[in-house]
C-alpha cells in the first residue's frame, strides 16, 4: 500500500505540504492536511501553525497536547526559525533588508501599514536571477497572516501568482516554506523540504514545462513516487487540460486529448521527461467516435516494447500496446486473483487507473 510521506522527529510529524490544500479543514466535508495525515497515521495530530492554502512547504504537527503547548509557545516567543523561498518578476535595487509593519484584518482582507506601531517583521535576501525572474529568501520573525506576501508587495516585489497582493498572473503562488528549526526539550530540530520546481528552473517563463514538473513534484512530496518504479500511478491529472500522464512500471503513458497531433516541441518535452525519470514513453491520441481508426495515434519515445509488466496492489499485470483500441483496465479486471495467481495479462492494453489524491 502506498503511504503518504512524512518525517517524525521528537514526537512531531513533519510534512512537505503541497499547494492547494488547507492546513486544516476549512468547513465540514472538506479535509485539510491534518485530517488526512491523522487518518493515514491513525494518530491524533495538533495544529500549532498554518500555511496559506496556496503556499507549499514545511509544516509540523505535534502528536500530544503537551508537545503542542510547548511548540505553540515557541512560535509565540518567535523561537522557531522559518525560511521561505519566493519568486517575483519585479526587480528592485536592494539585495538584503528587513521590513516591519502593522498587519491587521480589515473587512475580508489583510492589510499592512507603516504609520503605526509594527507587529510584524521580515528579513529579505536576494538569491539569484532565473531568466526574467528573481528568486528571494524570506525569514519572518513574526507570524502574521499573509506577512511575507504583504511585505514583498510593500517593497515593490509582489510574489508571482499572488492574486490578492498584486502579483503577476501565474499558474500558482510561488511561495514555499523551505525549513523549520527549533529546540525542543534540549534537542535541536531541523526539517527541510525539497526545493520547489519553480525555484530550480532556469527559465520560469516556460510555464507548461513548469506545470508538468510541479505535477510530478507534487506526487513526490505526497508519496515519493520515484521509489515506486514498478507501480501504476497517475502523475499528471488536472494540471493540464490537454493531456494526462500515468506511470505503468518503466513506462509513462500520455493520454493526448488535443484534436491536433503532438508537435515536435511536445514530443521533445516528453523526451526530456523520459530522460529525467529514466522512463520510456508512449503518447496515445484519444480519438473521438467517428474519427479514422487507421490514423496515427501512437508515438514512441525511447526503446519501447509492445509488452511489459507493472504492479498494482501486489498484482503484476502484463501490459500491451499492440492490441486494443480503448485504453483501460476496468473494475472487473481488478478482482482479486485466485490463490497463487499473481500475474495477469490484460487487453485492451492500458488501465486508466490513477492513485486518487487523498489531499
Amino acid at each position: 500500500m502506498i503511504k503518504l510521506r512524512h518525517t517524525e522527529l521528537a514526537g512531531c510529524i513533519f510534512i512537505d505540504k503541497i499547494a492547494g490544500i488547507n492546513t486544516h479543514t476549512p468547513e465540514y466535508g472538506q479535509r485539510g492536511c491534518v485530517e488526512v495525515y491523522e487518518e493515514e497515521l491513525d494518530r491524533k495530530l495538533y495544529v500549532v501553525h498554518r500555511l496559506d492554502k496556496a503556499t507549499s512547504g514545511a509544516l509540523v504537527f505535534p502528536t500530544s497536547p503537551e508537545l503542542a503547548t510547548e511548540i505553540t509557545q515557541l512560535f509565540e516567543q518567535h523561537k522557531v526559525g522559518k525560511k521561505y523561498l519566493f519568486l517575483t518578476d519585479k526587480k528592485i535595487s536592494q539585495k538584503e533588508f528587513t521590513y516591519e509593519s502593522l498587519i491587521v484584518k480589515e473587512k475580508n482582507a489583510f492589510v499592512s501599514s507603516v504609520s503605526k506601531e509594527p507587529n510584524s517583521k521580515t528579513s529579505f535576501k536576494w538569491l539569484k536571477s532565473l531568466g526574467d525572474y528573481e528568486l528571494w529568501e524570506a525569514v519572518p520573525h513574526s507570524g502574521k497572516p499573509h506577512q511575507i506576501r504583504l511585505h514583498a508587495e510593500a517593497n515593490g516585489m509582489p510574489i508571482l501568482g499572488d492574486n490578492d497582493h498584486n502579483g503577476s498572473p501565474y499558474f500558482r503562488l510561488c511561495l514555499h516554506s523551505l525549513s523549520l528549526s527549533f529546540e525542543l526539550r534540549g534537542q535541536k530540530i531541523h526539517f527541510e523540504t525539497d526545493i520547489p520546481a519553480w525555484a530550480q528552473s532556469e527559465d520560469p517563463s516556460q510555464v507548461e514545462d513548469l506545470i508538468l514538473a510541479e505535477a510530478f513534484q507534487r506526487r513526490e512530496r505526497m508519496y515519493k513516487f520515484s521509489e515506486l518504479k514498478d507501480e501504476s500511478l497517475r502523475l499528471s491529472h488536472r494540471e493540464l487540460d490537454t493531456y494526462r500522464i500515468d506511470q505503468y512500471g518503466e513506462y509513462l503513458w500520455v493520454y493526448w486529448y488535443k484534436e491536433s497531433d503532438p508537435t515536435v516541441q511536445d514530443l521533445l518535452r516528453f523526451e526530456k521527461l523520459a530522460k529525467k525519470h529514466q522512463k520510456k514513453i508512449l503518447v496515445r491520441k484519444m480519438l473521438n467516435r467517428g474519427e479514422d481508426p487507421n490514423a496515427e495515434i501512437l508515438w514512441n519515445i525511447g526503446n519501447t516494447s509492445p509488452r511489459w509488466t507493472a504492479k498494482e496492489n501486489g498484482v503484476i499485470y502484463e501490459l500491451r500496446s499492440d492490441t486494443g483500441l480503448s485504453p483501460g483496465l476496468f473494475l472487473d479486471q481488478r478482482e482479486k486473483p485466485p490463490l497463487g495467481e499473481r500475474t495477469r495479462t490484460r487487453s485492451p492494453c492500458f488501465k486508466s487507473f490513477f492513485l486518487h489524491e487523498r489531499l
Side-chain angles (χ1 to χ4, degrees), residues 263-273 301:
T263 65
V264 172
Q265 183 179 359
D266 293 321
L267 296 176
L268 288 174
R269 178 179 295 114
F270 296 139
E271 182 178 21
K272 181 179 178 181
L273 196 67
I301 298 175

Side-chain angles (χ1 to χ4, degrees), residues 78 132 155 194 202 222 228 237 247 249 267 272 275 295 298 301 309:
H78 310 309
D132 294 329
N155 286 279
D194 297 334
E202 295 180 359
M222 287 194 294
L228 305 172
H237 184 48
Q247 171 184 290
L267 296 176
K272 181 179 178 181
K275 289 180 179 178
L298 190 65
I301 298 175
T309 60

Side-chain angles (χ1 to χ4, degrees), residues 201-221:
S201 173
E202 295 180 359
D203 185 6
S205 67
Q206 300 297 317
V207 175
E208 186 169 337
D209 289 345
L210 261 184
I211 291 175
L212 199 54
E214 174 86 7
F216 277 53
Q217 190 177 60
R218 180 183 177 93
R219 277 70 177 177
E220 188 73 5
R221 293 187 191 284

Side-chain angles (χ1 to χ4, degrees), residues 109-111 145-146 149-150 152-153 158-159 162-168:
F110 292 100
V111 296
H146 289 214
R149 299 164 66 178
L150 284 164
E153 178 190 21
I159 298 173
D162 192 346
N163 299 326
D164 295 331
H165 302 294
N166 294 310
S168 297

Side-chain angles (χ1 to χ4, degrees), residues 125-324:
K125 181 180 179 181
W126 177 84
L127 297 179
K128 60 181 177 180
S129 295
L130 299 173
D132 294 329
Y133 301 84
E134 307 299 318
L135 182 65
W136 284 81
E137 175 187 286
V139 176
H141 303 287
S142 49
K144 296 301 178 182
H146 289 214
Q147 178 176 317
I148 296 174
R149 299 164 66 178
L150 284 164
H151 286 181
E153 178 190 21
N155 286 279
M157 49 179 187
I159 298 173
L160 197 63
D162 192 346
N163 299 326
D164 295 331
H165 302 294
N166 294 310
S168 297
Y170 207 61
F171 74 93
R172 64 156 289 181
L173 173 70
C174 291
L175 176 63
H176 179 79
S177 171
L178 183 65
S179 65
L180 293 170
S181 302
F182 53 86
E183 186 171 328
L184 181 65
R185 299 179 179 179
Q187 182 178 352
K188 292 184 178 181
I189 307 296
H190 179 78
F191 174 73
E192 188 160 330
T193 69
D194 297 334
I195 296 175
W198 47 261
Q200 302 178 60
S201 173
E202 295 180 359
D203 185 6
S205 67
Q206 300 297 317
V207 175
E208 186 169 337
D209 289 345
L210 261 184
I211 291 175
L212 199 54
E214 174 86 7
F216 277 53
Q217 190 177 60
R218 180 183 177 93
R219 277 70 177 177
E220 188 73 5
R221 293 187 191 284
M222 287 194 294
Y223 49 82
K224 206 169 181 65
F225 84 88
S226 61
E227 295 183 353
L228 305 172
K229 298 182 183 298
D230 299 327
E231 295 290 339
S232 302
L233 307 167
R234 171 58 56 97
L235 298 181
S236 176
H237 184 48
R238 296 175 181 173
E239 289 86 355
L240 290 160
D241 294 332
T242 51
Y243 52 87
R244 312 283 186 264
I245 300 179
D246 285 346
Q247 171 184 290
Y248 299 103
E250 62 179 325
Y251 282 74
L252 296 181
W253 170 255
V254 181
Y255 300 82
W256 186 261
Y257 289 99
K258 276 188 178 181
E259 291 187 8
S260 57
D261 291 347
T263 65
V264 172
Q265 183 179 359
D266 293 321
L267 296 176
L268 288 174
R269 178 179 295 114
F270 296 139
E271 182 178 21
K272 181 179 178 181
L273 196 67
K275 289 180 179 178
K276 179 178 180 180
H277 297 281
Q278 298 181 326
K279 298 287 185 181
K280 302 168 185 177
I281 292 188
L282 292 169
V283 182
R284 168 66 182 273
K285 185 176 182 180
M286 308 303 291
L287 296 176
N288 295 318
R289 288 187 177 183
E291 291 191 67
D292 182 5
N294 297 315
E296 181 180 12
I297 59 173
L298 190 65
W299 292 264
N300 305 273
I301 298 175
N303 185 22
T304 61
S305 169
R307 301 188 183 194
W308 70 97
T309 60
K311 293 180 181 178
E312 183 195 298
N313 294 332
V315 178
I316 300 173
Y317 292 91
E318 181 182 84
L319 304 171
R320 301 178 178 180
S321 61
D322 56 358
T323 60

